[in-house]
Amino acid sequence: MRNIPASIFFVIVGVLVVSLPLLAHHGNAAFDSTSVTVKGTVTDWTWGNPHCFVMFDVKDQQGNIVHWVAETSNPSDMVDRGWTKGSLKPGYEVTVTLLPVKSGKPIGRVQRIVLADGKVLSTTLPPAPKPNE
Amino acid sequence: MLKRFVLSTIALAAMLAIPVHGRAQTAQPAPAPRRDIFGIWTPANGPGDGIGGTGAKNMPEDGKPEHQLPYTPLGLETLAKHKPGNGARMVHPSEINDPEVISCEPQGMPRQNLYELRTTQILQTPVSVVILYQFDKIWRVIWADGRELEKEHPEPRWFGYSVGKWEDDYTFVVTTNGTDERTWLDKAGRPHSEDLVITERFHRVSRDRLELTMIIDDPKMYTKTWVALEKFPFKLMPPTTDVREMMCSNEEFKAYHKAMEFLDPDAK
């Protein structure tokens, strides 16, 4: 179930070579440099080090559920980018743009998540300055 | 009438512009206080500047000839055993054997200054300088009471033994030895031995700016000394700055590794 034909699920495919200096912990070797966008429903959101990660289900054209997992950065950097422990909750409908792993499994590194109300959560924007900076 | 209005407008604009321009030209950084590096300091070029994913900031493992370190045969042999997740020698996460990455082992010195160097608080007492690091909530005590650094110690320490002295009124120089050779020198897997001697130079350029230079001297691993950090810039933060936690939790690591299948050799 976890190995999927990519063309079925990728709503948008773009080639993005982005600098992710804040996502260095396990390096970049596992990840492709081509981003994909998938739509799904959040099943779990884990807030922790070395990286937060979101689990979400995507339904394919045959109605099968594919369980995705994608990491963000660490909590400290995520707070700087406007994320919180409560940013995602089970049941949220999300559109996730990510860099998938090269193995073809539904695992990736989040670039941004768009919530149902249009709110955008990004991992690649520069951090917002602190109030006293 | 119109001509007079235009001339008046130009004159007013010139009057407003000149003082501003003048201020910009004459603005000088506030002077550094004497023998004082107390404060909360954060990387001046942003939080990403001190991450060092590819190794020591001034000598990254990027394959460029100018960043090739002067390894001894033992240095090369030890380097080959270290499998990092970043840089020119990066491997798939399932093959990484970085103790800090796979099992939350302490980074130790000098890596604490070379990987995830973030907001850093420096305290001064009459006999010591204490450095509080954001990453892993680590602290170091640097004796500044005039003692000499011992050459032999009863045991190695993750963060070694440190003694500091004021070289001049604005430069605090720290020497560290007695480190634990189980640690990697940086995220790229550069090695060090227990013979490592680290020199850190904290130079306060102005009230709001501090620069850190760090020199590596380890004749077992390197044929000559090399500069790992050169004038790494920090800016002074307000004293009320809230420094966030950034801890390595084994349980969180295990959950993350399992979810991302990073320890699965078949996940490539």
Side-chain angles (χ1 to χ4, degrees), chain A residues 2 21-22 24-27 29-30 48-51 53 69 71 74 76-77 79-80 103 105 107-108 127 132-133, chain B residues 47 51 85-86 91 93 100-101 115 118 134 187 235 237-238 244 246-247 252-253 256-257 259-262 267-268:
Chain A
R2 299 204 69 165
L22 299 180
H25 199 265
H26 283 73
N49 281 300
H51 298 275
F53 56 92
V69 58
E71 68 174 26
N74 60 70
S76 183
D77 288 337
V79 167
D80 281 346
S103 66
K105 291 189 173 187
I107 300 172
N132 47 15
E133 283 188 58
Chain B
I51 291 183
N86 300 78
V91 297
E100 191 276 336
V101 168
Y115 180 58
R118 293 176 179 253
Q134 178 181 7
K187 183 73 160 42
K235 66 178 178 182
M237 298 296 288
R244 296 192 186 100
M246 206 168 167
M247 301 292 291
E252 289 182 357
F253 262 56
Y256 168 76
H257 286 147
M260 297 294 289
E261 300 186 9
F262 274 166
K268 288 186 208 175

Side-chain angles (χ1 to χ4, degrees), chain B residues 180-250:
Chain B
D180 191 316
E181 65 184 8
R182 286 176 293 177
T183 64
W184 290 10
L185 187 146
D186 64 8
K187 183 73 160 42
R190 273 69 174 269
H192 74 86
S193 75
E194 286 187 2
D195 291 350
L196 169 67
V197 177
I198 306 159
T199 303
E200 297 162 275
R201 299 173 61 83
F202 294 86
H203 179 59
R204 191 154 188 178
V205 179
S206 64
R207 181 194 63 191
D208 299 323
R209 195 172 182 92
L210 181 70
E211 293 176 346
L212 172 59
T213 295
M214 186 164 69
I215 299 165
I216 303 298
D217 183 7
D218 187 349
K220 271 190 182 168
M221 297 295 178
Y222 305 98
T223 58
K224 57 184 178 182
T225 62
W226 55 279
V227 179
L229 285 178
E230 185 165 17
K231 297 182 179 180
F232 181 86
F234 288 98
K235 66 178 178 182
L236 184 65
M237 298 296 288
T240 53
T241 300
D242 178 46
V243 182
R244 296 192 186 100
E245 281 189 345
M246 206 168 167
M247 301 292 291
C248 187
S249 152
N250 260 312

